[in-house]
Amino acid sequence: MQRPLSPHLQIYSPQLTSVLSILHRLTGLGFTVGLALTCAWLYALSKGPIAYSDFCSWLNQPFVKAIIYLILASIYYHMLNGIRYLVWSLGKGFELSSVYYSGWIVCILVFFLTILTICLI
């Protein structure tokens, strides 16, 4: 008897809901990087003004700034998507149109909040 194969990456087309779910997990990992940077910043602060100045000059490198901006976007995404999950916990918003609408709203808000924060820094 020929058994059916489960869908795999070659034939499975990603949907917005699955992508947002995976992104929620990845942004949780982004918090780990942010926490490590925060610990390094506090350590440099405790070592004195020279170490703090050196660390701040390292933070101003373009590659490090890009990482910081990605961490900022992950904070916003994780927070807004967490609110979306809380609404789902109340039993609301499970219609497919609501799920897609709220997903796009989260993505748009993350983009604008990240850009707004970068401009205000």
Side-chain angles (χ1 to χ4, degrees):
M1 174 182 251
Q2 187 76 359
R3 297 184 65 142
L5 295 175
S6 297
H8 46 82
L9 293 177
Q10 293 173 341
I11 62 171
Y12 181 76
S13 61
Q15 301 168 348
L16 179 67
T17 52
S18 62
V19 170
L20 293 179
S21 177
I22 292 167
L23 268 178
H24 190 76
R25 289 165 175 82
L26 290 176
T27 56
L29 290 174
F31 278 112
T32 306
V33 176
L35 180 62
L37 270 176
T38 304
C39 289
W41 176 73
L42 288 172
Y43 180 73
L45 186 63
S46 71
K47 294 305 271 184
I50 296 172
Y52 182 72
S53 175
D54 291 342
F55 187 76
C56 286
S57 66
W58 178 76
L59 285 177
N60 284 322
Q61 301 296 321
F63 180 72
V64 178
K65 276 189 172 185
I67 290 173
I68 291 171
Y69 296 155
L70 285 173
I71 292 170
L72 178 64
S74 75
I75 290 169
Y76 281 132
Y77 178 79
H78 204 79
M79 177 189 66
L80 292 172
N81 207 40
I83 292 170
R84 185 172 167 238
Y85 285 159
L86 284 175
V87 171
W88 288 351
S89 295
L90 296 173
K92 300 180 191 292
F94 282 120
E95 301 82 28
L96 193 58
S97 60
S98 298
V99 169
Y100 275 85
Y101 180 75
S102 64
W104 282 114
I105 292 295
V106 165
C107 293
I108 291 167
L109 281 175
V110 166
F111 177 77
F112 284 118
L113 287 173
T114 303
I115 296 298
L116 180 67
T117 306
I118 290 170
C119 291
L120 293 177
I121 293 178

